[in-house]
Amino acid sequence: MPSKVAPMVSWVAILAGVLTLVGWIWDLDTIRRILPGTISMNPVTALAFVLGGGSLWLHGTEAAPQPRFWPKALALVILLIGFWRLMGYVFEWEVGIDQWLFADKLATDLAGQPNRMSPNAALNFVFLGCGLLLMNRTSRRGLRLTEVFALLIGFISMLALLGYLYQASWLYGVVSFVPMALPTAVVFHLLAIGLLMARRDRGWVRLILSESPGGALVRLMLPILLPALVLLGWLRLAGERHGLFEAEMGTTLYTVMAILIVWGLIWWSARSLHRADKARRRMEDELERFFSLSVDLLCISGKDGRFKRINQAFSDILGHPVEELMQNGFMEYVHPEDKERTLKEVEKIHSGEPSLHFENRYLSKDGSYRWLWWKSHYLAETGLIYATARDVTEQKRVQVEIRQLNETLLERATQLDATNQELEAFSYSVSHDLRAPLRGISGFAQALEEHSKAVLDETAQSYLLRVRRAADRMGYLIDDLLKLSRLTRAEMHLEQVNLSLQAESILAQLKQREPERLVEWVVQPEIVVTADSALMHVLLENLLENAWKFTSKNPKARIEVGQSPGPAGEKICHVRDNGVGFDMRYATKLFGAFQRLHSMVEFPGTGIGLATVQRVVRRHGGRVWADSELNVGSTFFFVV
Amino acid sequence: MNSKVILLVEDNPDDEELTLMALQKNNILNEVVVARDGVEALDYLFGDGANSFMQRRVLPTLILLDLKLPRVDGLEVLKHIRADDRTRTLPVVVLTSSREDSDLMESYALGCNSYVRKPVDFAQFVEATRQLGLYWLLLNECPPVKP
């Protein structure tokens, strides 16, 4: 981030120079002198400040384009002015360069004191010129020198400033009693700061401004320590001058106070450093713990293709000792077929592209290869690759297994399809081929009966009747079996089915078929389930036909259809009758095909009905059960 | 004597006998021509043999068609009947043991006029035959035949 301090400082220097010159032109004392009774800024000094500010501003910030000629030319002019004036003092020449502007006014600036550029100001200009000349050097040395010059300027100007503060004229006048003006000292001090701040992203300033504990420490201590010591010195001087205490006492007080302040600051900074270090170490420990704890492989590797650091997981998963892995390049462990791909990927990572999903095989101690899934990131600052890897061997194996299983499943499904088709053909054949001979048996038995009625005795005729009945019954059995198989094959369409309406219509049909029966029925309204409508109709038909049939001996027959919530919140439907019921001992046999619990004579039927009911329920993934008491009645429950 | 001819397509000799018996029992005394498989049926209808209907210049008034037949099955026969202009309008009653939905659907899709499943019980079979004869030979008016 470019600093705004340096340009601001350069503008302040330029402004101060210009204002002073204006003050000289129109004799505005307050502007060129600031403090009454002190010396004014020399006009040539003011001019040099304008040049110096300009040079600093032209240097600009690093983001701005670098002007080559002008800043250096200006710096050189400043250097020459300072150097020439300094030579004059050293060799006691009359150089006159500082008398160049407003010569007549200079002589009478202060009584008994001609206005000259002070030797320390001339020295500062030499330093400033050198600093500005060296400023854009990219070498560490150039930068260091600029910083040294800036500190020298700051130091010399601070001496002058302290001199004014403590009213010690030899401090701002140095030896020859040509004093540095107060505004001059201030501007020099600012320029020193500007020089330092111009390259804040490098050198000492970077440290001071950094986030590190060191930077924080400097930022906190300097603003306390410097003003505190200056204030302390001033207090001591003031006390002595007002006769509050002697010089010995003043020095002792000053030293004690300074020790206290410095000691406090040192203690405070030591404590905060200690805390910061403790926190840092704890964090390091935590990271270290996670690093060694990780199930996944974690590593840092260099451009030389060697691991710089790896965690225990590497050794756990691959079986090689950590030292061995660190010693050899990692390519040594990569599967020969994966080497080329891996090299390409490493190259890609080095170009700064993060690698989020890369898989290769690593040789493990037992000679097998483990599949590793890598996620890597390259850090240009350190030139290192940071990577994590997961052992996905098992996953890969399972994937292959699943694929194989799927293939087997598909094969099975095809086989099943074929079997189903065979079954279909079989039921078709049963339907057609088995019925034809039955019709023959029944038909010809009747034909025989009619044809030979005269010669057949009663027993023979009853035999023929039995033949026909048996054939008829077999016909019904075949029909019911086919119906059952059709149930299993039919496609299901789930929808909201109103069982109440279906039950009502079935009961009405039963009544129509046997109008002489007196049956009372109660159907709870709005029993709605999600199911296949056709299948539910078959289910209700079978249950209600059963209820109808088995209540035939009861003169007060009653059939109920209802629904109630079950323990798990499901809706349990039921069909209840007060018929003959059955023995609960045989309840388990109830839903088998051709299973009958009553004699044919008593209640005719094929024994397919409840098997059909169960099949419907199973197709819906539900369940069916019954509760009964002999001669009291039965209740059939179902959930779909 | 009725001049209307019935074509019975039936491969099972028992069923053939029973059907003839049932017709007789119901006093349906029309001539019954029996074809014992699909090819024979088509020969009767479209062939140039001596027994061919085309040769005799008379078409059957009613075709009783079994579905499961050797060589060419009933559905195929039905397809041919409906495909030919001369026989397109002939009443065809499918008379079979099967009640498979697929058979029913296909038969009607191919244009059968009626689909009757033969009952096992002979009495019921006789009754069914009676109703069929009554309806198709007496009650129902067929379109004029153009041999």
Side-chain angles (χ1 to χ4, degrees), chain A residues 273-289:
Chain A
L273 274 181
H274 179 72
R275 275 190 195 153
D277 193 59
K278 223 163 91 179
R280 183 183 56 82
R281 204 169 305 162
R282 205 183 54 215
M283 219 154 85
E284 268 175 13
D285 277 356
E286 278 175 5
L287 283 179
E288 182 64 40
R289 204 151 295 152

Side-chain angles (χ1 to χ4, degrees), chain A residues 428 431-433 435-436 438-440 442-444 446-447 450 468 471-472 475-476 479 482-483 486 489, chain B residues 12 14-15 17-18 21 25 66 68 96-101 103 117-125:
Chain A
Y428 184 88
S431 152
H432 195 277
D433 295 358
R435 281 173 60 91
L438 277 181
R439 209 161 34 245
S442 170
F444 289 114
Q446 195 176 355
E450 282 168 17
R468 278 175 54 201
D472 286 353
Y476 292 131
D479 279 358
L482 281 172
K483 258 190 243 164
R486 239 197 306 268
R489 282 180 285 135
Chain B
N12 186 329
D14 284 354
D15 273 359
E17 182 65 34
L18 287 171
M21 269 164 68
K25 257 185 165 332
D66 193 6
K68 221 183 157 205
T96 178
S97 299
S98 164
R99 207 167 59 188
E100 284 297 308
D101 288 350
D103 283 342
R117 193 182 182 229
K118 293 183 229 173
V120 166
D121 184 76
F122 185 62
Q124 286 175 29
F125 186 51

